[in-house]
């Protein structure tokens, strides 16, 4: 039963990854907009840029991890067929 629940929190394909990255970006941009209001001027815009950069780095890591997992599964599948 715990395995079934745990599978809900596993990203299985690129579409799911893009949905998660979109949700992260939406939250980060909202936070960045609040930063520009709370800290007017250059400081607020630098914090806004930092939130955007964090999403770019996190999204790239998620997509790289999916690619790595797929390559590992393919290698394991080839190993079992030999």
């Amino acid at each position: 039963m715990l395995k079934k629940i745990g599978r809900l929190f596993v990203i299985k394909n690129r579409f799911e990854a893009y949905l998660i990255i979109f949700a992260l970006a939406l939250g980060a941009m909202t936070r960045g907009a609040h930063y520009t209001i709370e800290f007017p001027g250059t400081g607020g815009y630098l914090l806004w840029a930092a939130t955007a950069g964090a999403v770019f780095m996190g999204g790239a890591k998620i997509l790289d991890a999916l690619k790595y997992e797929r390559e590992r599964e393919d290698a394991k599948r080839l190993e079992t067929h030999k």
Side-chain angles (χ1 to χ4, degrees):
M1 182 64 175
L2 288 176
K3 282 187 179 183
K4 287 184 179 181
I5 293 172
R7 283 182 45 95
L8 293 173
F9 298 100
V10 175
I11 302 170
K12 298 174 201 75
N13 55 40
R14 291 179 72 86
F15 179 72
E16 291 175 354
Y18 286 129
L19 287 177
I20 290 171
I21 293 168
F22 176 75
L24 289 172
L26 191 61
M29 292 302 99
T30 302
R31 171 55 62 194
H34 287 290
Y35 282 149
T36 59
I37 293 168
E38 285 291 318
F39 306 105
T42 307
Y45 287 109
L46 287 174
L47 288 170
W48 175 80
T51 60
V55 172
F56 285 128
M57 291 189 314
K61 191 68 171 174
I62 290 170
L63 293 173
D64 283 347
L66 280 175
K67 181 180 175 184
Y68 171 75
E69 287 293 324
R70 178 163 292 150
E71 288 174 357
R72 193 175 80 176
E73 289 173 4
D74 290 344
K76 193 182 291 186
R77 204 169 325 170
L78 287 174
E79 228 10 76
T80 58
H81 287 318
K82 287 185 177 181

